[in-house]
Amino acid sequence: MENILSVRGLTVDIPLAAGTLHAVRGIDFDVKRGETLCVVGESGSGKSLTSLAIMGLLPKQAQRSAQVLDFEGVDLQTASNRDMRKLRGNRISMIFQEPMTSLNPAYTIGDQLTEALLLHRKVPKPVARDRAIELLEKVGITAAANRMKQYPHQLSGGLRQRVMIAMALMGEPDLIIADEPTTALDVTIQAQILRLLKDLQRELNMAMILITHDLGVVARIADKVAIMYAGEMVEAGSAAEVFTAPKHPYTRGLLNCIPVPGKTAVGEHLGSIPGIVPSLIGDVAGCAFRSRCDEATAQCATDIPARISPAGHLYRCVHDYDMNQPKSGEA
């Protein structure tokens, strides 16, 4: 199956008074139709900026560059603003992180839902309205016709998130980017939203990029996983490979922070990653994780090229690590 989105060498630099912030550094990945790529990392790792770079929605001062930024034959780097407006909300849609700030408080839910379809498909208003009601019902909102008349502040957080999903699906996109769509929701609503996204993806055969910091979410929904740290992709591969045989110390640190059913005893201390993410302003060299890594050596201060296993498992680390081998200090 061909890639619907191919990204090579994506960088985002932001000029600041103190120097240039290298927010995203040399990102590579592919997404196929019907596939889910989960991008994981702590706050400030560059996940959201990567998605905004793909959508062409970066702040004016941000500088984007890439060797390849291709969406089904369309070069997103050279596409004009007019071309990008034709893609956004039509063939590529995005579910933003906070629906209360993404929805316009001055317009009804119905007006905001139908806008994309009226703009891109030039359909009559009654057709757009029927489509909006159909999608509201599909995402689990009852009394959908009445909800069309309401304003964002009249809906709960879970309902607003469902409206955002319906809005992203109005144009039946080929690719949907979901930026932490369940962060502000309680656990039960979170599970419903994830199930809904997966069901809709299967039904419409969409590609999906899901941005999250929650590895529990990743385990339930991902086909492929990309781990980001300090603006760089430090590990990427199939979900099964990354979870069962993580190659990068940062990935292992993240996994050690999660309780494992049947293995983690009640009251047992979970792992933690000491230290803080280093500044990415000015010159950045070597492994950015080395100041927090127990396995760091002098070689970690040099440039770390990406290494790829025969199975396509990418990682940036000078050490070889095998989950089947005992760790240092173990028998």
Side-chain angles (χ1 to χ4, degrees):
M1 189 180 297
E2 293 185 1
N3 297 323
I4 193 170
L5 177 69
S6 294
V7 178
R8 295 288 181 275
L10 175 64
T11 66
V12 177
D13 294 331
I14 304 175
L16 301 174
T20 300
L21 171 64
H22 303 288
V24 176
R25 304 183 291 137
I27 298 297
D28 299 341
F29 64 84
D30 298 309
V31 187
K32 293 178 172 61
R33 186 175 293 276
E35 189 174 60
T36 299
L37 168 68
C38 284
V39 182
V40 186
E42 58 194 286
S43 297
S45 61
K47 306 184 303 296
S48 294
L49 276 176
T50 297
S51 66
L52 293 175
I54 294 168
M55 295 290 288
L57 295 174
L58 289 169
K60 286 185 178 181
Q61 69 272 26
Q63 300 167 355
R64 179 188 71 179
S65 66
Q67 297 165 9
V68 175
L69 193 56
D70 180 90
F71 174 74
E72 287 208 314
V74 178
D75 187 348
L76 300 181
Q77 288 191 96
T78 59
S80 65
N81 290 333
R82 181 185 179 89
D83 291 337
M84 288 304 299
R85 284 195 296 270
K86 289 180 180 179
L87 287 175
R88 287 192 293 259
N90 185 24
R91 298 189 62 201
I92 307 175
S93 290
M94 186 165 181
I95 303 171
F96 292 94
Q97 190 167 355
E98 177 46 63
M100 195 59 204
T101 56
S102 302
L103 293 170
N104 192 321
Y107 291 90
T108 65
I109 296 302
D111 287 338
Q112 296 183 66
L113 279 169
T114 57
E115 181 183 19
L117 208 57
L118 293 172
L119 176 65
H120 293 294
R121 303 295 172 85
K122 310 296 183 184
V123 300
K125 283 188 177 181
V127 174
R129 184 178 184 276
D130 290 344
R131 172 66 174 164
I133 292 173
E134 176 190 350
L135 282 173
L136 287 179
E137 292 172 345
K138 191 180 287 288
V139 299
I141 295 180
T142 57
N146 292 329
R147 298 290 188 187
M148 294 277 286
K149 306 170 188 175
Q150 293 184 317
Y151 291 85
H153 72 272
Q154 295 176 291
L155 305 181
S156 67
L159 286 177
R160 286 195 294 267
Q161 193 65 70
R162 290 170 187 265
V163 168
M164 288 294 296
I165 294 172
M167 188 180 299
L169 295 172
M170 282 293 288
E172 297 186 0
D174 299 306
L175 170 66
I176 191 165
I177 301 174
D179 187 359
E180 308 220 27
T182 61
T183 298
L185 306 180
D186 61 60
V187 176
T188 54
I189 299 298
Q190 181 185 85
Q192 291 174 18
I193 294 294
L194 290 174
R195 193 180 309 114
L196 170 65
L197 281 172
K198 198 64 180 175
D199 289 345
L200 290 170
Q201 180 193 25
R202 192 178 300 112
E203 178 183 338
L204 300 174
N205 196 29
M206 299 181 300
M208 180 163 65
I209 299 174
L210 177 66
I211 296 168
T212 183
H213 61 269
D214 188 340
L215 284 170
V217 169
V218 175
R220 280 178 278 176
I221 202 170
D223 297 308
K224 295 194 301 191
V225 181
I227 307 294
M228 287 191 68
Y229 181 79
E232 192 172 41
M233 192 173 288
V234 296
E235 184 161 1
S238 70
E241 287 177 332
V242 171
F243 274 92
T244 59
K247 299 287 189 182
H248 198 278
Y250 179 60
T251 309
R252 300 199 295 275
L254 291 177
L255 291 171
N256 287 336
C257 296
I258 303 173
V260 179
K263 292 185 178 181
T264 305
V266 176
E268 181 180 342
H269 289 290
L270 298 177
S272 62
I273 302 176
I276 59 174
V277 179
S279 171
L280 297 178
I281 297 176
D283 293 334
V284 180
C287 177
F289 187 64
R290 67 184 185 275
S291 63
R292 307 172 69 183
C293 180
D294 294 334
E295 304 170 29
T297 64
Q299 190 178 356
C300 299
T302 62
D303 287 337
I304 312 296
R307 305 168 71 183
I308 303 178
S309 73
H313 190 156
L314 177 149
Y315 60 103
R316 294 179 183 275
C317 185
V318 298
H319 304 293
D320 288 311
Y321 184 83
D322 186 346
M323 286 291 290
N324 297 317
Q325 295 296 323
K327 300 177 184 177
S328 58
E330 294 180 347

